Amino acid sequence: MSSLFTNEQYWTVRITNAAITMLSLVGEIYMISSYYSSKPRQRTLPMKLVHVLVISNLVYSLCNALSYVDGGETFCFIEGFFQTSSYIFSLLWIQVILLLVYKQIMNFRSRIHGYFNALVLFATFLSCIPGIIVTIVYLMNGGMYFGVDSFSFCTIFPSDAYYILQALPTIVLTIMAWILAALIVYYIRQEVGVSEDGREYKAILRYPFVLFICQFPLFLDSLVSKLNDGKPLFFFVLLHIIAVRSAGWMNAIVYRRKSPSMKTERIESKTSECSIFDRKSILGQHLIAVADLDIVQQYHTNMNQTL
């Protein structure tokens, strides 16, 4: 334990981290089980996007849980690698969600599933770059490594490497998410005749909103630490731990979806590429109407062929 914090502060962080991590694990397992309990044709693209995000958060939560296992230097290195990679992946995937949401709004007939897996692989590769850099430098000269911090969490050392490889990407990607969300809302207002009650905009803004709640305390903690000659203050450290570890259970609350009923099953299968928004909104009704029109046209075509 570092001399920067007292024994009481150390255990406050450890116990708080354990409680919130367990809560997040419950939320993530609930989200994953809900996803696989639905039929494959009922799994819309928005559900798949959120499902990938939840899996990434699950890996992050599992790494936090493993911090209570004393497995030695190699174990810490593996834990730190996957924790850092899953953390960066979640930030990257928020950008993917926002971009695909915009693409669906502007051209809801576009087939996104064709390159969905490629996006997952590309985001995975980018998110592993910080861990790969640390691994290469460690094997070459030992200048960087994954080690145990003041609260027994495995992270990137030295601190300068941490700021460059993890803290800085976090700041940049969070700011990018808010800029993307603002631009998307602006272009929707200009180009699509959506309702003015805000349902569509809330559907878009909830992604960077949750990201902001979970990441802003990290910004404060890093800023205060830098301004205080590299010495973090306990209050901001605790706030940072609570916020970042809360992503799992917040996903379960914000992104939860009820299983579609039998009455709407045929619509779900036809609108799996475009069901982003609330069905009560004008745009949502338009998309469903298009799907229903396709069904009717297909029915008449089949009847004519039969006759």
Side-chain angles (χ1 to χ4, degrees), residues 24-302:
S24 289
L25 283 170
V26 170
E28 288 149 1
I29 292 172
Y30 163 75
M31 291 283 288
I32 292 173
S33 61
S34 297
Y35 177 82
Y36 285 110
S37 65
S38 63
K39 297 179 181 179
R41 62 179 177 177
Q42 295 174 342
R43 298 169 189 167
T44 64
L45 183 62
M47 292 173 64
K48 293 179 180 179
L49 289 170
V50 173
H51 178 65
V52 173
L53 180 65
V54 171
I55 291 178
S56 175
N57 289 334
L58 176 64
V59 174
Y60 182 80
S61 296
L62 288 174
C63 289
N64 282 327
L66 289 175
S67 68
Y68 294 88
V69 179
D70 186 8
E73 181 179 341
T74 302
F75 185 85
C76 180
F77 202 98
I78 296 173
E79 176 194 330
F81 182 95
F82 281 100
Q83 186 177 45
T84 301
S85 299
S86 60
Y87 182 81
I88 298 296
F89 181 92
S90 295
L91 298 174
L92 285 170
W93 198 248
I94 292 292
Q95 322 297 318
V96 174
I97 290 175
L98 290 170
L99 290 172
L100 293 188
V101 165
Y102 177 71
K103 184 174 179 62
Q104 284 185 307
I105 295 169
M106 305 312 298
N107 183 15
F108 58 82
R109 288 184 178 277
S110 64
R111 305 296 296 182
I112 296 175
H113 284 293
Y115 51 87
F116 180 83
N117 292 336
L119 284 174
V120 174
L121 292 175
F122 184 64
T124 301
F125 170 74
L126 290 180
S127 64
C128 289
I129 289 178
I132 293 173
I133 292 175
V134 173
T135 303
I136 292 174
V137 175
Y138 174 77
L139 293 175
M140 291 179 63
N141 56 28
M144 295 181 189
Y145 62 96
F146 287 102
V148 178
D149 64 9
S150 302
F151 295 102
S152 300
F153 300 121
C154 294
T155 188
I156 299 174
F157 281 93
S159 59
D160 290 340
Y162 168 80
Y163 283 115
I164 294 173
L165 296 177
Q166 184 164 338
L168 184 59
T170 298
I171 296 173
V172 171
L173 290 172
T174 302
I175 293 174
M176 282 179 58
W178 276 94
I179 293 175
L180 278 173
L183 290 174
I184 289 170
V185 169
Y186 172 78
Y187 282 114
I188 290 175
R189 285 184 178 274
Q190 297 296 319
E191 301 181 31
V192 180
V194 297
S195 61
E196 295 295 330
D197 59 9
R199 286 191 183 95
E200 292 85 0
Y201 310 133
K202 291 177 183 177
I204 295 171
L205 291 175
R206 63 185 177 182
Y207 298 100
F209 177 71
V210 173
L211 183 65
F212 176 80
I213 292 176
C214 294
Q215 302 300 332
F216 185 68
L218 173 62
F219 299 163
L220 290 179
D221 185 23
S222 299
L223 179 62
V224 170
S225 179
K226 280 293 186 182
L227 295 177
N228 196 34
D229 296 328
K231 300 177 182 178
L233 299 181
F234 176 72
F235 172 78
F236 292 100
V237 172
L238 183 61
L239 188 64
H240 156 210
I241 295 295
I242 292 173
V244 172
R245 270 56 167 181
S246 295
W249 66 263
M250 289 188 69
N251 283 336
I253 294 175
V254 176
Y255 303 138
R256 70 187 185 279
R257 276 180 174 267
K258 295 181 179 180
S259 297
S261 64
M262 293 300 294
K263 183 177 180 180
T264 60
E265 181 176 335
R266 67 190 182 94
I267 295 177
E268 289 289 345
S269 63
K270 291 294 291 184
T271 59
S272 61
E273 292 291 335
C274 56
S275 56
I276 284 287
F277 299 127
D278 193 313
R279 293 182 178 277
K280 295 180 181 180
S281 68
I282 292 177
L283 182 58
Q285 292 174 1
H286 169 68
L287 299 183
I288 294 173
V290 171
D292 282 337
L293 180 60
D294 289 343
I295 293 172
V296 172
Q297 290 175 342
Q298 185 64 39
Y299 170 78
H300 285 295
T301 300
N302 293 339

